[in-house]
Amino acid sequence: MRVHGFTLLGILVGGGCFNPDAPEASTSSADETTAGPSATESGSDPTTASNTETSATSTDPSATMTSPDTSLATSADTSTTDDTTDPTTDTDTDGATDESSTGGPVLDCGDGIEAPGELCFDDVVLLESNDVTYDGRLMDVDLDGDGDVVYLIGDQVVTRLGTGKGVFGPALFGLTVFPTSVEAGDIDGDGTTDLAIIRSFEDSLEVALGDGNGDFVLQMPSLASGTSPTQVVVGDLDGNDGDDIIVGGGDTYNVFVSDGDGSPVPQFQVGVGGPIVALGLGEFDGDGDADMIFVRTLGAVSSMFVRLGDGDGTFGSAVPIDVDGDTPRATVGGDLDGDGNGDIVHVDSDLDLVYVLFGNGAGGFDDPVGVATDVEPQQVVVVDLTGDGHLDVAVGHGEGASVWIYPNDGAGALGEPLPIALVGPVDSLASGTGNSDGVPDLITTDTNNEYVTVVLSTP
């Protein structure tokens, strides 16, 4: 097992192999209910906006999804009770992926050959940040084709340039902006990675444009983000040059539309009646426009909503998604069952469950289906980690101090998770490229213990 980094404090990693079947499903779509940009609706409760397409209902947490019987052989122990099906004996000497007796590729973690269906993560890079650490991303900031690490500490944006082999250089201290959260995208449309940075203590959004050499240039002036911003997402909301930005916080969300010059323009602010604790993007009504998911808390009650995008940076009325009094902590959109309709994944930090809500293509959703997680799930991403073309689910845990990766069988059913133990809680989780094996990797941050962890794929 290879472990890189400045200080090694603990590792537990397991590779795995999984070869799901992916049944076909039909697609459907329907016209969305839209509403133009509103004036500031501060304090308004989005549950007063109705949508006839809403079809989500509550679920009993005890009625969780039955996971498929998948056997994930770890790369640390590739032994099997059936010698006749040991995949480690079927690889060609020329490095090509052999075919098993069933006609499929041999799944052998650690052989360096990427094979669809493998779930292999057996390399952890632990970096000390030496300061309170808020957020982190894996991305190529110097355009050399190798993934780099960018993370936020108390008063700085820090970059560690990668070699493409899962090794990262010394900390390069950049912008001094007292950042608390970050998201990456191409805000000015020039092909380089830029940053949308929240400064929660200053109630502001900062835009930092990448120069293609690993440095960032802060755009001026700062943008007002609303009170106590905590969430930021970046994506194309209007089909124009440059990614757009949504910031959520105290009791509003704010939309900033980019025209490709790197200076996003505030579009509008909408009140939601309580603090936004989770924010995500998806495509839920089949029109190709980005839609928004958010979770609002009001007292002890958490509520989830979807707003369908109009394709011009504006969104329609809020559609409530019934979570039956549960506590969604993070949410994201993606097509998990391959039917062309966007689905929702969210984690519940009180019930220790990850939920999948399958979309109907018209802005409505089926009953949530829950799968058990480690203790206190609080971060989630969906990304193809097995190379089979299906979105898998990775969940980061607080008290559990781990990342669990759930392989998707292609129909949206989450299989037996691959657990990866970390040295502390997962306060942020994102996917990106840390080595050059063609499989996405994961990055986490541990705020108070001051660590950045890169979990590398090892096919």
Side-chain angles (χ1 to χ4, degrees):
M1 183 179 297
R2 300 159 305 188
V3 180
H4 311 289
F6 289 83
T7 301
L8 172 63
L9 297 183
I11 52 174
L12 171 83
V13 288
C17 302
F18 182 54
N19 191 10
D21 294 323
E24 294 183 355
S26 61
T27 61
S28 63
S29 62
D31 292 337
E32 63 180 291
T33 301
T34 61
S38 61
T40 301
E41 303 172 41
S42 180
S44 63
D45 188 340
T47 60
T48 59
S50 63
N51 188 310
T52 57
E53 295 295 346
T54 304
S55 63
T57 59
S58 63
T59 183
D60 183 350
S62 64
T64 58
M65 176 192 296
T66 301
S67 299
D69 184 14
T70 61
S71 178
L72 292 176
T74 66
S75 55
D77 179 9
T78 56
S79 62
T80 175
T81 57
D82 184 355
D83 292 338
T84 63
T85 60
D86 186 351
T88 63
T89 62
D90 288 331
T91 53
D92 291 334
T93 57
D94 61 1
T97 302
D98 199 357
E99 297 293 312
S100 68
S101 60
T102 60
V106 173
L107 306 181
D108 188 7
C109 292
D111 63 0
I113 304 170
E114 179 188 354
E118 283 187 332
L119 182 55
C120 308
F121 288 82
D122 198 17
D123 204 350
V124 170
V125 180
L126 187 64
L127 305 173
E128 288 188 70
S129 65
N130 299 311
D131 200 344
V132 57
T133 310
Y134 292 110
D135 211 346
R137 294 294 182 271
L138 273 174
M139 52 197 184
D140 182 10
V141 299
D142 57 358
L143 301 183
D144 64 353
D146 300 326
D148 310 307
V149 170
V150 176
Y151 57 91
L152 310 181
I153 61 175
D155 62 348
Q156 296 272 335
V157 176
V158 182
T159 300
R160 293 179 184 263
L161 299 180
T163 66
K165 299 180 180 179
V167 178
F168 304 95
L172 305 175
F173 297 92
L175 305 174
T176 302
V177 293
F178 296 92
T180 52
S181 188
V182 67
E183 193 53 86
D186 186 4
I187 298 173
D188 59 358
D190 67 350
T192 60
T193 301
D194 310 312
L195 304 177
I197 303 169
I198 286 179
R199 300 174 66 197
S200 296
F201 308 119
E202 302 294 334
D203 296 341
S204 68
L205 168 68
E206 310 292 339
V207 175
L209 301 181
D211 66 359
N213 297 312
D215 294 324
F216 296 93
V217 178
L218 198 64
Q219 296 294 94
M220 299 299 288
S222 300
L223 298 169
S225 63
T227 304
S228 303
T230 59
Q231 310 293 319
V232 58
V233 294
V234 175
D236 185 4
L237 305 179
D238 59 4
N240 296 328
D241 290 340
D243 286 334
D244 311 301
I245 304 168
I246 305 176
V247 176
D251 60 358
T252 64
Y253 69 82
N254 293 258
V255 176
F256 302 86
V257 175
S258 174
D259 60 4
D261 67 354
S263 300
V265 176
Q267 184 81 349
F268 57 88
Q269 180 183 83
V270 176
V272 299
I276 293 178
V277 298
L279 184 65
L281 293 175
E283 206 288 279
F284 304 123
D285 57 357
D287 64 356
D289 300 326
D291 307 312
M292 177 173 54
I293 332 160
F294 66 92
V295 177
R296 179 206 69 185
T297 60
L298 190 58
V301 178
S302 295
S303 304
M304 181 183 293
F305 303 91
V306 166
R307 285 183 181 263
L308 300 178
D310 294 336
D312 58 1
T314 65
F315 294 87
S317 300
V319 180
I321 307 299
D322 191 354
V323 294
D324 196 28
D326 297 340
T327 312
R329 179 63 179 84
T331 186
V332 66
D335 182 8
L336 268 70
D337 56 1
D339 65 354
N341 302 326
D343 310 311
I344 293 176
V345 179
H346 77 85
V347 293
D348 189 301
S349 56
D350 288 346
L351 299 177
D352 296 340
L353 293 170
V354 55
Y355 286 105
V356 178
L357 294 80
F358 296 109
N360 63 12
F365 300 89
D366 294 339
D367 293 345
V369 181
V371 176
T373 67
D374 203 351
V375 182
E376 195 187 11
Q378 56 185 18
Q379 302 292 334
V380 62
V381 297
V382 294
V383 61
D384 181 8
L385 297 171
T386 57
D388 59 2
H390 307 305
L391 293 177
D392 308 302
V393 176
V395 176
H397 306 88
E399 186 177 341
S402 66
V403 172
W404 285 15
I405 302 175
Y406 298 81
N408 176 6
D409 70 351
L414 303 184
E416 188 73 19
L418 173 67
I420 302 170
L422 304 178
V423 298
V426 177
D427 294 311
S428 74
L429 174 66
S431 63
T433 299
N435 53 25
S436 301
D437 61 12
V439 181
D441 308 297
L442 300 171
I443 183 171
T444 77
T445 56
D446 180 346
T447 300
N448 293 325
N449 292 321
E450 303 178 359
Y451 298 125
V452 178
T453 302
V454 181
V455 182
L456 294 168
S457 56
T458 54

